[in-house]
Amino acid sequence: MSWLNLKLVAVDVDGTLTESSRSLRLSPHSIEAVRVLRSKGYIVVLVTGNVLPIAVGLSIYLGTEGPVVAENGCIVFYPDSLREVHLCRDKPSLEVVEIVKNMGFKPAWQNRYREHDLAFHMPRNAGYSLVEKVKRLVEPMGFNVYWSGFALHIQPHGGGKDRGVEAVLSHLNLTWDRVAAIGDGENDIPMLLKARLSATTSDSPDIVKRAVKYVASKPGGEGFHEFAKLLASI
């Protein structure tokens, strides 16, 4: 299969731009990866569960220059016009927040700045079965539930990283067959499944590895750099 027409690279942040799936420290390899992609004319789009100000700030310092997708697809920012588009409405109800807190999850400090997607940290020593329990309770109430590997995210319907990328593609008059994407979390899977060429890092969970076409041999930012060099060689 030919990848010659790829134009846009959608890139997750936590676990992909960072040193590893366990680290939140930005990898220097990611800086070089962005430079490699930009030098080959790719549009680089950050797609993250982070709040918009952090995501846009990171985009500026990395020099990605493309649109930014924040709060797991709930908000899209276009730097050329300084315009932000909200794909989600409101945020999870107080009832939902109380359900999650009563299960031992701790609200993330960013929640005071979040407009739609709320994040919660898992109780110590808890397993993924607790995330599945939240899904069973909360999804029937009309909310999306995602596990990023770092936090539990709950948002109104309308979001999702794939929905955020679709808004960017519509804005740029592109389609999914022009997209390469890389991510390491469960919340990246909808985006990875739709991209023409998808990748993940070596330290991502098996559920993500099964969803992609290319698994890098290195973790975190090193894996992203490896993928960037592959794209540059096309």
Side-chain angles (χ1 to χ4, degrees), residues 146 160-162 176 185-195:
Y146 297 109
K161 291 192 174 185
D162 58 326
W176 279 104
E186 176 187 307
N187 56 329
D188 295 308
I189 291 177
M191 170 182 77
L192 296 171
L193 289 174
K194 291 184 178 180

Side-chain angles (χ1 to χ4, degrees), residues 37-220:
L37 293 172
R38 293 293 298 129
S39 70
K40 293 296 183 178
Y42 285 103
I43 300 168
V44 181
V45 176
L46 296 187
V47 188
T48 178
N50 271 294
V51 292
L52 185 64
I54 289 178
V56 173
L58 184 58
S59 173
I60 291 171
Y61 285 112
L62 285 173
T64 61
E65 299 185 14
V68 174
V69 178
E71 292 195 24
N72 282 308
C74 280
I75 306 176
V76 182
F77 178 77
Y78 299 101
D80 53 351
S81 60
L82 301 181
R83 182 171 65 99
E84 61 183 74
V85 175
H86 293 244
L87 303 181
C88 296
R89 294 182 179 181
D90 302 320
K91 61 176 61 175
S93 64
L94 291 177
E95 179 185 3
V96 169
V97 171
E98 287 304 311
I99 288 174
V100 176
K101 288 171 62 178
N102 288 338
M103 294 172 68
F105 286 87
K106 302 295 183 183
W109 69 268
Q110 285 188 5
N111 282 357
R112 71 183 69 180
Y113 308 109
R114 290 177 172 274
E115 299 193 53
H116 307 290
D117 177 295
L118 297 183
F120 301 85
H121 297 299
M122 188 183 291
R124 184 173 296 180
N125 300 323
Y128 187 77
S129 60
L130 191 59
V131 174
E132 294 176 327
K133 184 176 180 180
V134 173
K135 289 185 176 184
R136 289 194 298 270
L137 291 173
V138 172
E139 286 181 343
M141 300 172 69
F143 298 94
N144 297 328
V145 179
Y146 297 109
W147 173 247
S148 71
F150 290 91
L152 178 81
H153 290 263
I154 301 176
Q155 61 177 216
H157 285 320
K161 291 192 174 185
D162 58 326
R163 293 289 303 278
V165 174
E166 283 171 0
V168 170
L169 295 175
S170 178
H171 177 75
L172 298 174
N173 294 314
L174 296 174
T175 55
W176 279 104
D177 65 352
R178 307 293 302 279
V179 177
I182 182 169
D184 76 310
E186 176 187 307
N187 56 329
D188 295 308
I189 291 177
M191 170 182 77
L192 296 171
L193 289 174
K194 291 184 178 180
R196 186 176 177 193
L197 178 57
S198 54
T200 191
T201 56
S202 66
D203 57 344
S204 68
D206 288 342
I207 190 174
V208 181
K209 290 177 178 175
R210 290 193 295 268
V212 302
K213 297 180 176 70
Y214 180 83
V215 178
S217 63
K218 300 293 180 66

